[in-house]
Amino acid sequence: MRKVAWKDIDLKIVLPEDVKSTECVGELEEFIGQERAIRALETGLHIDAKGYNVFVSGTTNTGRRTFVSRYLKKKVEGTKTPGDWIYVYNFDDPRSPNSISLKRGRERYFRRK
């Protein structure tokens, strides 16, 4: 088996005559071929338990961040914006900070100046 360079691949792609450059092609609304990623993300988002997070991995510059950002923005469209959370020092157990739920925008009053 030998490694194939991109120059060795002869792809015959015929573009419509009105397509002169990529500037006339808009962004895709959906991510093609990402059904498994969507299922995994949905599974992670539905876990409503302490200590669980969603971790997205993959090769650099493949659109992971764009995919997740667009997907989440679309998912929360029309929903109420949640409140803010701040974490304060726990003198009884320094490894476990206390969390305080605040109305949206109120966390700024607790910022250090």
Side-chain angles (χ1 to χ4, degrees):
M1 186 179 270
R2 71 180 180 89
K3 190 174 183 178
V4 178
W6 67 270
K7 295 176 186 177
D8 298 332
I9 301 172
D10 186 21
L11 296 175
K12 304 278 190 245
I13 300 173
V14 180
L15 297 174
E17 288 184 26
D18 61 332
V19 176
K20 303 296 182 204
S21 74
T22 56
E23 290 177 9
C24 65
V25 180
E27 287 188 17
L28 292 173
E29 293 295 320
E30 299 295 323
F31 286 86
I32 298 170
Q34 298 298 328
E35 294 81 13
R36 184 171 168 230
I38 291 170
R39 282 195 314 273
L41 184 55
E42 280 293 332
T43 299
L45 294 174
H46 282 95
I47 297 174
D48 190 17
K50 186 177 180 179
Y52 285 88
N53 299 291
V54 173
F55 179 80
V56 180
S57 67
T59 308
T60 304
N61 294 326
T62 56
R64 297 181 318 265
R65 181 183 212 154
T66 302
F67 165 72
V68 173
S69 294
R70 285 186 187 168
Y71 188 82
L72 293 177
K73 282 179 186 174
K74 194 172 186 179
K75 186 163 182 67
V76 300
E77 226 170 52
T79 63
K80 184 180 173 189
T81 303
D84 293 319
W85 287 90
I86 62 170
Y87 297 91
V88 296
Y89 191 77
N90 182 346
F91 291 96
D92 294 330
D93 185 1
R95 294 177 296 153
S96 182
N98 292 314
S99 58
I100 301 172
S101 173
L102 302 169
K103 289 183 180 178
R104 183 173 48 104
R106 301 287 185 207
E107 86 292 342
R108 68 178 173 264
Y109 298 116
F110 290 89
R111 286 188 187 147
R112 184 180 290 177
K113 295 184 181 195

